[in-house]
């Protein structure tokens, strides 16, 4: 079963400093049942990230997908023409107030 999220486990020692010790413990736990004693959920507001500027968009596209800058801008232009995005054409991350975006 795949579990998404953070799993906190307790061990008799406060901290483990050696990878070999962690690997040994992981191997000893494989195939054994675990007991869930507590589940915590919380809600919080997370503001959206700032919009990409042209340089950051190109850098992220290269980092994630190895896209050349011209390929990135071609994709952005195509998405823009289809009305899916408003892509950056400058290095500014400021949004003009006249586009009526929702403030958080």
């Amino acid at each position: 079963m795949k579990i998404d999220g953070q799993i906190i486990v307790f061990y008799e020692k406060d901290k483990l400093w050696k990878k070999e010790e962690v690997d040994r413990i992981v191997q000893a736990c494989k195939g054994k049942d675990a007991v869930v004693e507590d589940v915590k959920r919380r809600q919080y507001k997370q503001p959206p990230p700032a919009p990409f500027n042209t340089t950051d968009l190109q850098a992220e596209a290269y980092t994630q997908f190895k896209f050349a800058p011209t390929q990135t801008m071609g994709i952005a232009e195509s998405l823009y023409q289809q009305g899916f995005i408003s892509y950056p054409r400058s290095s500014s991350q400021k949004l003009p107030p006249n586009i009526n975006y929702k403030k958080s």
Side-chain angles (χ1 to χ4, degrees), residues 12-72:
E12 59 196 23
K13 292 184 180 179
D14 187 37
K15 294 182 182 179
L16 300 170
W17 297 101
K18 295 185 179 178
K19 183 181 182 316
E20 296 80 20
E21 189 175 4
V22 172
D23 291 340
R24 182 182 56 74
I25 293 166
V26 169
Q27 285 301 319
C29 293
K30 283 193 177 175
K32 295 186 178 173
D33 292 334
V35 176
V36 176
E37 293 181 354
D38 189 19
V39 176
K40 294 181 182 178
R41 292 178 181 245
R42 63 185 174 111
Q43 276 191 338
Y44 60 93
K45 283 189 172 186
Q46 180 176 352
F52 278 119
N53 61 42
T54 303
T55 304
D56 290 343
L57 174 64
Q58 291 170 337
E60 186 70 15
Y62 181 78
T63 300
Q64 297 294 321
F65 308 109
K66 303 297 183 227
F67 288 172
T70 53
Q71 182 180 9
T72 300

Side-chain angles (χ1 to χ4, degrees), residues 62-95:
Y62 181 78
T63 300
Q64 297 294 321
F65 308 109
K66 303 297 183 227
F67 288 172
T70 53
Q71 182 180 9
T72 300
M73 296 316 291
I75 293 168
E77 177 69 26
S78 174
L79 292 169
Y80 172 74
Q81 289 176 349
Q82 295 175 61
F84 292 117
I85 67 167
S86 167
Y87 78 97
R89 295 183 206 123
S90 72
S91 293
S92 174
Q93 290 185 330
K94 296 196 184 281
L95 297 173

